Amino acid sequence: MTTSMWRAVFGVFVATASLAPAPAQAQISRVSGADTRQSIGVNFGAFLPKAEDSRVDGDVLFRNGDSLLFDIKDFNGASVGAEYLIGLSRYIEAGLDVSFYQRTVPSIYREQVNANGSEIEQDLKLRITPVTASVRFLPVGRDSTVQPYIGIGASLLNWRYSESGEFVDFTDGSIFRDRFVAKGSTVAPVVLGGLRFLAADVWTFGGELRYQRGEGDTGGQAAGFLDDRIDLGGWTANFNVHYRF
């Protein structure tokens, strides 16, 4: 399925959500067993990009490791987001969420230094803003005090990657300052699972773990990068709080 088709899916999802039952109607549906109540919430956690040994072929971060000194784990960073959920039945719900992750990792050349002996420094910066539509299954129901769930979905990953600072031209050994930027959007499959707790019938809180798989096109050497792809996959672990209405 193409990116444009997935965007159409997101549009249909949003349109459907706008036609959701009003709170009073939702309460009536819940009594009858449908539980179509809605909820809005926030989440706080961390995004952990895929490790070096599992990154996609042609990944620019993996290739940068040949000449630059840094660790893929340095890109582990905070993630925040907001989410909207609507019950489709007592055991099924749909969700739409957006989150934000950004991390800047300083690096230096492994073997080259400036003429005065100082390090040749640059910053590697990655930003990902996923917009995710998902469907979840709750085996014990949305009205239980303890609610485990699993789900699948699709995420539109809006991303930006840059390298800025000092660089070595290996053709003549010269050192120069520059900035290289790549950005775009790509559709990624998502799987997730979590556990949440119901409090006072209107609040839920809990934790979630989700995995996304995707990659972007950097433009390769023509755009100033050592390779032409960047792996955007990884794990997100978060704590979430929702208000139900």
Side-chain angles (χ1 to χ4, degrees):
M1 188 176 286
T2 64
T3 298
S4 60
M5 293 176 66
W6 276 112
R7 285 173 175 162
V9 172
F10 283 123
V12 171
F13 182 91
V14 173
T16 302
S18 68
L19 299 176
Q25 294 173 315
Q27 191 72 9
I28 293 173
S29 297
R30 184 174 67 90
V31 171
S32 66
D35 198 350
T36 57
R37 283 182 296 179
Q38 307 160 59
S39 63
I40 55 175
V42 294
N43 57 69
F44 309 91
F47 175 65
L48 293 76
K50 289 166 65 175
E52 182 175 311
D53 63 348
S54 60
R55 300 185 70 80
V56 66
D57 291 340
D59 175 61
V60 67
L61 295 182
F62 182 86
R63 181 67 183 277
N64 281 347
D66 293 340
S67 55
L68 302 181
L69 188 60
F70 71 98
D71 197 313
I72 296 294
K73 292 180 181 179
D74 296 337
F75 282 92
N76 294 351
S79 173
V80 297
E83 184 172 51
Y84 168 74
L85 300 172
I86 179 171
L88 304 180
S89 73
R90 182 182 179 187
Y91 301 102
I92 303 292
E93 67 183 17
L96 183 66
D97 67 81
V98 58
S99 58
F100 178 84
Y101 154 86
Q102 180 172 284
R103 185 73 170 174
T104 299
V105 174
S107 63
I108 58 175
Y109 275 86
R110 288 183 177 273
E111 300 178 356
Q112 289 78 21
V113 295
N114 285 300
N116 62 4
S118 62
E119 301 289 358
I120 305 173
E121 301 175 338
Q122 54 288 136
D123 287 331
L124 313 179
K125 184 177 181 179
L126 177 61
R127 182 177 72 213
I128 309 176
T129 307
V131 180
T132 305
S134 61
V135 177
R136 306 175 185 190
F137 170 63
L138 297 85
V140 297
R142 302 181 76 232
D143 55 351
S144 298
T145 302
V146 180
Q147 303 173 10
Y149 62 88
I150 56 174
I152 59 173
S155 184
L156 184 63
L157 305 179
N158 301 287
W159 62 274
R160 183 182 187 274
Y161 172 70
S162 66
E163 300 177 1
S164 60
E166 294 183 319
F167 300 90
V168 175
D169 185 338
F170 289 106
T171 61
D172 59 13
S174 62
I175 299 173
F176 62 97
R177 292 192 62 84
D178 209 335
R179 181 183 66 172
F180 307 100
V181 178
K183 58 184 177 180
S185 60
T186 186
V187 175
V190 174
V191 294
L192 57 90
L195 182 67
R196 67 190 185 208
F197 302 88
L198 178 62
D201 195 49
V202 294
W203 291 100
T204 66
F205 63 93
E208 181 180 280
L209 187 65
R210 66 172 60 187
Y211 176 78
Q212 69 190 37
R213 180 178 146 190
E215 59 188 68
D217 182 4
T218 66
Q221 295 186 3
F225 297 102
L226 293 182
D227 227 322
D228 58 2
R229 303 164 82 182
I230 182 165
D231 198 320
L232 305 171
W235 293 90
T236 300
N238 64 52
F239 171 79
N240 55 68
V241 178
H242 290 84
Y243 173 74
R244 307 204 307 175
F245 57 95

